[in-house]
Amino acid sequence: MFKKVIAIMTASVLAASILVGCGGSTGASSSAPAEQKTEEAAPAEAAEPAAAEAAAATDGDLATKKVGVCIYQFSDNFMTLFRTELEKYLIEKGFAKENITIVDGANDQATQSGQIDSFIADGVDVLIINLVNSSSASTVTDKVVGANIPLVYINREPAADEQQRWADNNWNVCYVGCDARQSGTYQGEIIGDLGLDAVDFNKNGKIDYIMIKGDPENVDAQYRTEFSIKALTDAGFEVNKLDEQVGMWDQVKGAELVANSLSQYGNDIEVVFCNNDAMALGALQSIQSAGRKVGTDIYLVGVDALTEVVEYVISGDITGTVFNDHFAQSHNAADAAINYITGAGNEHNIQCDYKKVTKDNAQEILDSLK
Ligand code: BGC
């Protein structure tokens, strides 16, 4: 904390002195504008960077570059893995720890917008942003592009029309993530692969399920909800949705919702789909408290491959999960940030793959997480 305060103070003093040096014409000036690629840069009033100079930047220069990272909420299990790996990798790539500032949006868009304003005022060289609300993307993009700062969105994918704007205007803005449809499909396949006989405990010929969703504003939640079931119907299964509830990616909420569903629908629930592992961990607590046993009279799947969940997949307490590769995503995000700083540029949408995790490969996945 103390270090961060010092870092922010140092950055402010630096930014202030640069503003004086530049005649104080714009509050959005970067301390190192020469490194930004701006041939087609947006409404920037900031200084003119030279593309050639930008391209000449070397790894050594990264030590002086400032990175601002906005995380939607520090208490999110998955985003904790993500930001820890992101910081580690940025340092490995040559950034100085004191020049990387990571802030907690506390799941509040107004708080996060204020943090973005501060980063802009401090003249960071690049911003990596995990939005609180994906729908705020256009406002945030306009602000950051207007300040002539390259922007890498992570984890919460802005809408397609917003991404189209980046391409149309050739802005230094991209999204780094994985295609959430794939994670949903894998969840459905994990259940489908068990076969109807194994899943259809009540013998009504259908897969009776409940769905515990993440933040509904988030495409990860929307796609996982849709594609997990689509994988089953595409494979020819009949499905029956008993309940669908919003658990906001949260373990405690997940536990509460699944406990309610179990008391309402009892043994008719054959599968519990959770949009993420945190909620699956909550679901497991409630399944066990209700005297049910995963693999014997109910099935449970999540997404993320949190260590604890992969261990439960090995022990059979959770049917399966889907590895949400925080290594690839954080590395891709850092590499994209570097590409903007050095002038190399990026595609506007950078994807990686999810991986299915079942008892068959869970040990292997667990080893790879260490
Ligand atoms: C992860 C969730 C996480 C969410 C945050 C998703 O991709 O699967 O665990 O809570 O991102 O936005």
Side-chain angles (χ1 to χ4, degrees), residues 72 76 78-79 130 155-156 218 220 224 249 275-277 303-304 324 354:
Y72 94 94
D76 183 287
F78 174 74
M79 289 315 301
N130 169 212
N155 176 254
R156 294 186 162 186
N218 196 200
D220 284 9
R224 288 173 192 165
W249 305 119
N275 282 173
N276 78 345
D277 276 356
V303 174
D304 284 336
N324 191 0
Y354 283 98

Side-chain angles (χ1 to χ4, degrees), residues 133-152:
N133 295 331
S134 315
S135 57
S136 298
S138 60
T139 314
V140 170
T141 302
D142 286 344
K143 196 191 272 200
V144 175
V145 167
N148 204 24
I149 295 170
L151 170 56
V152 179

Side-chain angles (χ1 to χ4, degrees), residues 72-82 249-251 276-278 281 304 306 308:
Y72 94 94
Q73 175 159 248
F74 273 11
S75 62
D76 183 287
N77 312 34
F78 174 74
M79 289 315 301
T80 300
L81 294 173
F82 195 128
W249 305 119
D250 182 67
Q251 178 166 347
N276 78 345
D277 276 356
L281 285 169
D304 284 336
L306 299 179
E308 206 180 341

Side-chain angles (χ1 to χ4, degrees), residues 10 12 14 19-20 26 36 41 89 92 106 168 187 199 226 235 249-250 301 328 347 356:
T10 314
S12 312
L14 192 62
L19 282 179
V20 170
T26 160
Q36 287 170 36
Y89 185 77
E92 264 169 47
D168 291 346
Q187 285 190 296
V199 182
E226 181 186 346
W249 305 119
D250 182 67
V301 281
E347 298 290 321
K356 222 183 270 186

